Amino acid sequence: TIMTDVSKPSWLGQALAWAARLSRIGVWVGGSLTLASVLLISYDVIVRRLFGVTMGGSDELSSYAFAISTSWALAYTALERANVRVDVVYQHLPVRLAAVLDWVALVSLGVFAVILTYHTQQVALQSWQMDAKANTPLATPLWAPQFLWVAGLAWFSLVLALMLVRASAALVIGDLKTLNALCGVKSAKEEAQEEAEMGVRMVKGDAT
């Protein structure tokens, strides 16, 4: 589950809790889009094979679904600390130095997210202004999937900003445990515990 217990009872804690809930919803919606695109492509392939006809546009719609679902999964990934980090040296560093590097990594990710969001919204805005359409039989207005794509990236940037404020406060007061729970690299013990908890939920029929 997403680590929201690191937040003190405050506006920031409540904001992070809501961010966690909304990010989870975003993942479910994105996953549903991906599943729908898989079913659409499967149907297209089967119909083409059996009857020699194609509905067309399945590849185009699936590419939009992939981009949108990916952008909306990023915030959840950050909150879960599921993003990939090279920790060969990190795991041997002193705790305080590792905490500082965790903060620097979060800042770097935030800067990258903001830059990426800015440029993608420029692309979407240009498509809107030019009323650009896909060069396909569907002639999809490009701004529609692009704005949904940008919205996911903007949400990612906002969540990172909340995380950074909380992490910065923790770093200032020396609360390294909170900082690690927010943006540190997961230990093997934490990963094993999460897998065990997931197994229990699956057995109970509550894998969410």
Side-chain angles (χ1 to χ4, degrees), residues 103-113:
W103 183 83
V104 171
L106 185 59
V107 171
S108 301
L109 184 60
V111 170
F112 172 75

Side-chain angles (χ1 to χ4, degrees), residues 44-148:
D44 193 20
V45 171
I46 293 173
V47 171
R48 186 187 312 158
R49 178 66 176 177
L50 295 179
F51 305 106
V53 297
T54 178
M55 59 180 294
S58 59
D59 55 341
E60 178 187 353
L61 295 176
S62 64
S63 65
Y64 298 149
F66 178 75
I68 294 168
S69 61
T70 298
S71 70
W72 278 97
L74 294 176
Y76 179 87
T77 302
L79 287 165
E80 278 283 352
R81 294 182 294 159
N83 48 306
V84 176
R85 286 177 58 184
V86 180
D87 61 347
V88 176
V89 177
Y90 171 91
Q91 58 186 329
H92 300 292
L93 296 176
V95 176
R96 292 186 179 280
L97 179 56
V100 172
L101 291 180
D102 290 335
W103 183 83
V104 171
L106 185 59
V107 171
S108 301
L109 184 60
V111 170
F112 172 75
V114 170
I115 293 175
L116 183 61
T117 302
Y118 171 77
H119 287 289
T120 53
Q121 67 89 19
Q122 290 289 95
V123 172
L125 187 59
Q126 185 175 31
S127 295
W128 168 270
Q129 293 172 341
M130 297 177 60
D131 193 25
K133 293 179 173 58
N135 187 23
T136 63
L138 294 180
T140 307
L142 291 177
W143 58 265
Q146 286 175 350
F147 273 120
L148 291 174

